[in-house]
Amino acid sequence: MTAQYVLDLQEIDETQVAVVGGKGAHLGGLSRIEGIRVPDGFCVTTDAFRRVMAGAPSMAEQLDQLSCLNPDDREGIRTLSALIRRTIEGIAVPDDLAAAITGALGRLGGQAACAVRSSATAEDLPTASFAGQQDTYLNIVGPTAVLQHISRCWASLFTERAVTYRRRNGIDHRTVHMAVVVQQMVLPHASGILFTADPVTGNRKVATVDAGFGLGEALVSGLVNPDVFTVRDGEIVAKAIAAKQRAVHALPAGGTRDVAVDAGRQEEPSLTDGQVVRLVELGRRIEARFGRPQDIEWCLADDDFQIVQSRPITTLFPIPETDDRDNHVYVSVGHQQMMTDPMKPLGFSMWQLTAMVPMHEAGGRLFVDVTGRLASPASRAALLDIMGRGDPLVRDALETVLDRDDFVPSLPDAGPGGPPPVVPSAPAEPDPAIITELIERSQVSVAALERDIRTKSGPALFDFLLEAFEEHKRVLGDPLNSQAIMAGMEATWWLNDKLREWLGEKNAADTLTLSAPGNITSEMGLALLDVADVVRPYPEVVAFLEGVEDDGFLDALAKLAGGTEARDAMEAYLDRYGMRCVGEIDITRPRWSERPSTLVPVILDNVRIFEPGAAERRFEEGRQKARKKEQDVLSRLRALPDGDRKADEAKRMIDRVRAFAGYREYPKYGIVSRYSVYKQALMEEAERLVQAHVLAEKEDIFFLTFQELRDVVRSHQVDDLLIQQRKDAFRSYRALTPPRVLTSDGEAVTGAYRRDDVPAGALAGLAVSAGTVEGRARVILDMAEADLEAGDILVTTFTDPSWSPLFVGIAGLVTEVGGLMTHGAVIAREYGLPAVVGVERATRLIRDGQRIRVHGTDGHVEILP
């Protein structure tokens, strides 16, 4: 096919990213929208870029070197990217390519002033905007200057910031090519940026306009503060007019200059109210064309708006799809399940199929629609109560939405208020024997699943799994299950409330629940201490484990002195807990049994930090502290007026919390045990698809929903493009922070603590495990990279049960996500670790290695000098 080096904008649309880059494709699409004016121009295509790059034989080697650099190697990237840019700028533009560009310039009017703008193929995409990563040159006059600046645009593909951005987004440098947009300059009265959704809150019904005098470079460069207009439903609802002391203007001979704005004009609005509303109407047309909110650069000349760029706003969190136009309020599932990372399609679809309530996907995360519960006063109160006890930020966010006029319709109590109240009633005296019964039922059900699934494959496997999911929900939805969970939770709440009222003591239940029996997750952490006891006496095994880099190490252990004992201990641990992993609610995540090397650093930390017998010793110490606390509380209560009654009630609740608190973690263990069985069967099916050349690799099934995978198994046909699109989308979702509460307008509502008891400079959070501890903060985002010393305080985004083995070696815990009864809080209390959760941006505000003080009783964290 003959290479095309130059295309007029009118020949282009948004489907041609590979030919003209993201910016060029969007400009072509813009030029086709009725009523939208785009400055005349053309694109120098990616064919031209490839032609020029081929003129430098050294380029392939330089790109190979660049791909090998770590994204954090700033000096290496700076040096090599500068070399690549010099190489590109030094390549002479071939005569036929130069002639094609000069001819296109002639059609614009030979000596017309032009804007020369980079347009990369990985730019202005729905999943990555790359805003500001490549270069733009304004007011370039004459063919010689235009050609020179086109070369600079090609070279700008390899600026340090662009290279680093691509590396962090997992994009191969060799797959990205550069086109260049050349357009007639617009000499505007005013210019700026229009966001068709609020870029801060995400609200899709609110548009914001930033505007200033002259060229938009004054705003982009930060030379001036813009006028800011906020528009909703065709009306300006807020505006702030800035003192605009400088503006950027084009020079007659080429280039630009910033100039002083006349004193009398500095505080004049750069746009009239009518112009602002008209601009937003144009933005809505553009948004409709591209199907998503846009970040639009505009110019105003002679009262006529011209659009010079439009790109998707990639930082907005997506909204769950619905088949109506009603208002909806969604609560994040990830914040309840301690997994705010995105899930792959197979993962979220299987969680939806096994969940007890309907769940909606957006941005790779799941949400529950609570609009119906909020609409009815009775169910609203119950929902806010349970949410407030678990995570006050969720409650505050919901109350913030409720304070908005008419966003949530109010229904009478007798009306369709949605599901019944969230808090089930527990029996007055639940029988602890039900726990043994529930665990036995779960074990029998999992054993039957393991037995029956072995003979299933192909379409029959999926029919079987759909039946298994119903059994999964039956076990989880057993009324006795709710009774057992709520018995422990309500006893904890009762003790904290009453002992604060009677004795003035905060969070007394935290000590009373130390080493509560039957907690499968805390037992899991202590059991890894026992594995360390087996490993510790054998220096050869310890040295071998320090060098482990892959997951095939268990077989090699048997060749070492003590290696057989160490291997047997690890395998026994994996037999009981190997179904667990970070983010375990996503079935696509690698389990410990699949990636046992994940546990090696924790085992080595346990060998180094602890003495033999630490597990039993720690458990007994906790039990004794709880017993001592019980005696102290009861004796102080008996000294009060009506003390015998109070002491008897407290004793009954202490017994209840000791009996039931440990079970809180078991249902999750049962779920994940079943998930491990499901996954093993699906991976065997994936292997068959690979053998049949239906899939390129087994992990491709992760990017199909359960229903889509079922269809692929039936038809032996797969949409490879869909899988690639899902991989790209998943990569983009990882950069998004999911909100605790999300509305159907797209507004992400974070909530606030609204407390006046937090010292100045301290970070507010939720007190979940009493005590105060001071130590070195270890900011750890990946459990496999943990390197802890005794006395360290773990600071991370969230913890799920897979993090429990780390808890035995730390002195305190701080997380960004969590509630009173979520995993980290439960296990912190079990181990007696002061803990504060729900600390917004903790991993960014606290630096690794800083000394901090965690106030687990009062719910805040001090950063120490």
Side-chain angles (χ1 to χ4, degrees):
M1 190 169 68
T2 305
Q4 284 186 296
Y5 295 139
V6 173
L7 289 172
D8 286 341
L9 286 180
Q10 289 76 16
E11 300 178 77
I12 298 165
D13 65 24
E14 58 269 37
T15 66
Q16 293 169 272
V17 172
V19 178
V20 295
K23 189 180 284 107
H26 272 78
L27 285 169
L30 284 166
S31 68
R32 294 164 181 260
I33 305 173
E34 185 177 352
I36 302 297
R37 287 201 58 198
V38 176
D40 290 341
F42 60 89
C43 279
V44 182
T45 68
T46 53
D47 282 341
F49 174 76
R50 280 187 285 268
R51 169 87 180 275
V52 169
M53 292 285 278
S58 63
M59 189 59 64
E61 182 182 344
Q62 291 173 3
L63 291 180
D64 285 342
Q65 292 174 11
L66 193 62
S67 296
C68 293
L69 291 178
N70 187 301
D72 295 322
D73 183 1
R74 297 184 63 180
E75 185 57 39
I77 289 174
R78 183 180 300 119
T79 302
L80 190 51
S81 60
L83 173 62
I84 293 172
R85 290 198 304 277
R86 287 196 300 273
T87 301
I88 294 172
E89 289 187 39
I91 301 170
V93 178
D95 290 345
D96 58 334
L97 174 53
I101 294 169
T102 303
L105 279 171
R107 292 192 292 276
L108 293 181
Q111 294 297 314
C114 294
V116 182
R117 312 168 70 201
S118 307
S119 180
T121 53
E123 177 182 37
D124 295 353
L125 305 179
T127 56
S129 77
F130 279 70
Q133 299 306 312
Q134 281 89 41
D135 289 348
T136 288
Y137 302 97
L138 299 178
N139 204 36
I140 307 303
V141 179
T144 301
V146 169
L147 285 169
Q148 180 186 30
H149 285 86
I150 287 172
S151 288
R152 289 183 180 176
C153 283
W154 288 330
S156 75
L157 189 62
F158 297 98
T159 60
E160 180 186 350
R161 64 183 182 271
V163 167
T164 302
Y165 191 96
R166 284 196 296 273
R167 292 285 285 134
R168 294 196 184 283
N169 281 273
I171 297 172
D172 187 340
H173 306 298
R174 287 161 294 200
T175 65
V176 182
H177 302 106
M178 179 67 84
V180 180
V181 175
V182 180
Q183 288 177 282
Q184 280 187 332
M185 273 293 294
V186 178
L187 303 179
H189 158 76
S191 57
I193 299 165
L194 160 65
F195 294 99
T196 64
D198 188 315
V200 177
T201 68
N203 194 319
R204 303 321 198 256
K205 292 187 176 178
V206 172
T208 63
V209 176
D210 290 3
F213 294 126
L215 293 167
E217 293 305 292
L219 304 186
V220 174
S221 65
L223 186 66
V224 297
N225 290 324
D227 296 338
V228 180
F229 303 87
T230 304
V231 178
R232 182 179 182 121
D233 297 329
E235 293 184 10
I236 295 176
V237 294
K239 62 180 169 181
I241 306 303
K244 300 169 286 299
Q245 297 176 339
R246 313 290 295 178
V248 174
H249 289 292
L251 295 171
T256 61
R257 180 179 71 187
D258 71 90
V259 299
V261 176
D262 292 342
R265 293 185 62 220
Q266 288 179 5
E267 297 192 21
E268 285 182 9
S270 47
L271 295 176
T272 67
D273 287 1
Q275 288 169 336
V276 170
V277 171
R278 179 153 53 95
L279 175 61
V280 171
E281 288 172 354
L282 296 176
R284 293 296 180 209
R285 287 192 210 173
I286 295 169
E287 181 181 68
R289 166 78 184 205
F290 295 123
R292 63 187 68 236
Q294 297 288 300
D295 166 358
I296 298 165
E297 293 180 23
W298 54 269
C299 295
L300 177 68
D302 301 323
D303 197 34
D304 188 17
F305 283 106
Q306 297 206 45
I307 307 299
V308 295
Q309 185 164 327
S310 183
R311 64 167 69 92
I313 309 176
T314 59
T315 56
L316 299 177
F317 200 86
I319 307 171
E321 293 183 5
T322 61
D323 54 6
D324 61 48
R325 294 180 168 236
D326 297 339
N327 290 343
H328 294 271
V329 182
Y330 302 97
V331 171
S332 164
V333 172
H335 285 79
Q336 316 300 314
Q337 290 293 336
M338 295 296 91
M339 218 295 270
T340 55
D341 291 344
M343 299 169 74
K344 297 185 180 79
L346 185 62
F348 68 68
S349 64
M350 289 190 68
W351 192 261
Q352 286 172 311
L353 287 166
T354 53
M356 301 303 293
V357 295
M359 294 185 177
H360 308 267
E361 183 271 337
R365 280 80 168 189
L366 291 172
F367 295 85
V368 173
D369 187 343
V370 296
T371 318
R373 296 182 193 178
L374 290 174
S376 167
S379 59
R380 179 191 310 150
L383 177 69
L384 292 175
D385 180 63
I386 196 74
M387 290 294 176
R389 287 184 178 276
D391 184 343
L393 292 178
V394 174
R395 175 173 183 146
D396 187 77
L398 290 173
E399 289 177 332
T400 299
V401 176
L402 286 168
D403 287 342
R404 309 268 166 79
D405 291 341
D406 301 326
F407 189 84
V408 177
S410 187
L411 301 174
D413 283 340
V422 176
V423 184
S425 58
E429 287 296 335
D431 182 359
I434 66 174
I435 291 177
T436 304
E437 183 181 342
L438 285 165
I439 290 173
E440 286 178 356
R441 287 185 193 177
S442 177
Q443 290 172 339
V444 167
S445 179
V446 172
L449 173 67
E450 290 174 329
R451 180 189 67 239
D452 296 342
I453 204 170
R454 288 177 192 147
T455 59
K456 305 298 188 294
S457 64
L461 170 65
F462 289 82
D463 294 339
F464 172 83
L465 283 172
L466 288 172
E467 293 177 8
F469 296 163
E470 293 307 309
E471 165 68 4
H472 179 125
K473 289 191 281 189
R474 188 194 65 76
V475 171
L476 199 60
D478 188 328
L480 287 179
N481 197 37
S482 296
Q483 288 178 15
I485 293 170
M486 292 308 300
M489 290 171 65
E490 290 179 340
T492 299
W493 297 336
W494 188 96
L495 285 166
N496 281 335
D497 291 346
K498 290 297 184 182
L499 296 183
R500 184 165 190 169
E501 176 189 340
W502 293 338
L503 300 176
E505 190 166 336
K506 292 182 181 178
N507 303 331
D510 294 357
T511 306
L512 294 168
T513 54
L514 285 171
S515 298
N519 187 313
I520 188 75
T521 308
S522 62
E523 289 170 2
M524 180 174 71
L526 296 174
L528 208 58
L529 287 174
D530 292 335
V531 174
D533 285 352
V534 176
V535 169
R536 190 179 291 106
Y538 302 109
E540 198 176 346
V541 172
V542 173
F544 172 79
L545 291 177
E546 287 171 344
V548 163
E549 293 183 354
D550 58 50
D551 295 304
F553 69 93
L554 286 171
D555 291 338
L557 269 176
K559 301 171 186 174
L560 307 174
T564 300
E565 293 88 338
R567 183 194 63 192
D568 290 349
M570 289 186 206
E571 288 183 340
Y573 185 88
L574 291 170
D575 284 345
R576 181 151 172 77
Y577 303 112
M579 78 291 290
R580 311 221 81 149
C581 68
V582 173
E584 60 193 9
I585 71 169
D586 182 353
I587 197 172
T588 73
R589 293 289 192 103
R591 312 282 131 179
W592 286 345
S593 55
E594 299 171 86
R595 202 168 284 177
S597 61
T598 304
L599 295 172
V600 170
V602 190
I603 294 170
L604 290 172
D605 280 347
N606 288 349
V607 167
R608 184 166 40 84
I609 295 172
F610 295 99
E611 295 295 323
E616 185 176 350
R617 197 162 49 249
R618 284 179 64 101
F619 187 81
E620 183 57 26
E621 285 171 0
R623 201 169 66 83
Q624 292 298 338
K625 284 181 184 176
R627 179 179 292 177
K628 185 177 177 182
K629 182 69 173 179
E630 176 182 337
Q631 292 168 347
D632 172 63
V633 162
L634 295 179
S635 118
R636 287 160 62 200
L637 286 174
R638 288 195 179 97
L640 298 175
D642 197 21
D644 287 344
R645 179 188 63 79
K646 291 173 180 173
D648 288 346
E649 287 183 13
K651 172 61 175 168
R652 191 168 72 252
M653 287 299 179
I654 290 169
D655 289 346
R656 184 185 297 186
V657 84
R658 298 287 303 171
F660 287 94
Y663 181 73
R664 175 74 179 84
E665 293 284 301
Y666 196 88
K668 185 80 168 284
Y669 177 79
I671 291 170
V672 177
S673 296
R674 298 180 71 89
Y675 264 41
S676 184
V677 180
Y678 303 154
K679 183 176 186 181
Q680 186 174 346
L682 289 173
M683 293 310 290
E684 289 171 2
E685 202 61 43
E687 178 60 38
R688 285 189 279 272
L689 291 171
V690 171
Q691 294 298 324
H693 305 292
V694 177
L695 295 178
E697 54 188 22
K698 290 193 295 184
E699 287 73 18
D700 282 351
I701 69 168
F702 297 162
F703 297 94
L704 299 170
T705 65
F706 180 85
Q707 297 88 340
E708 289 166 348
L709 178 56
R710 184 185 190 187
D711 291 341
V712 169
V713 168
R714 282 177 171 165
S715 67
H716 269 216
Q717 293 182 325
V718 69
D719 184 343
D720 293 324
L721 179 60
L722 174 66
I723 289 176
Q724 187 55 53
Q725 289 171 341
R726 294 273 178 78
K727 289 179 178 180
D728 292 342
F730 178 75
R731 185 166 53 240
S732 74
Y733 294 156
R734 292 168 67 179
L736 299 176
T737 300
R740 283 177 166 81
V741 171
L742 179 68
T743 74
S744 49
D745 284 353
E747 184 175 3
V749 191
T750 55
Y753 285 107
R754 308 188 193 283
R755 291 164 46 187
D756 54 13
D757 62 341
V758 178
L763 307 178
L766 178 63
V768 295
S769 186
T772 301
V773 66
E774 181 179 318
R776 180 180 69 157
R778 294 311 315 271
V779 180
I780 297 171
L781 303 180
D782 182 347
M783 177 182 151
E785 296 176 3
D787 181 15
L788 297 166
E789 301 287 346
D792 283 348
I793 297 170
L794 174 61
V795 180
T796 190
T797 311
F798 59 82
T799 65
D800 61 12
S802 72
W803 288 73
S804 298
L806 291 184
F807 281 36
V808 298
I810 59 175
L813 174 70
V814 178
T815 68
E816 294 180 346
V817 176
L820 192 62
M821 299 309 296
T822 48
H823 158 75
V826 172
I827 304 306
R829 290 194 292 272
E830 285 273 328
Y831 288 166
L833 302 174
V836 180
V837 303
V839 180
E840 286 284 278
R841 301 173 61 233
T843 60
R844 283 163 282 183
L845 296 174
I846 300 172
R847 295 195 311 273
D848 186 51
Q850 271 187 317
R851 289 196 69 76
I852 62 174
R853 187 179 295 127
V854 177
H855 295 265
T857 304
D858 296 321
H860 63 266
V861 180
E862 289 182 273
I863 301 176
L864 302 176

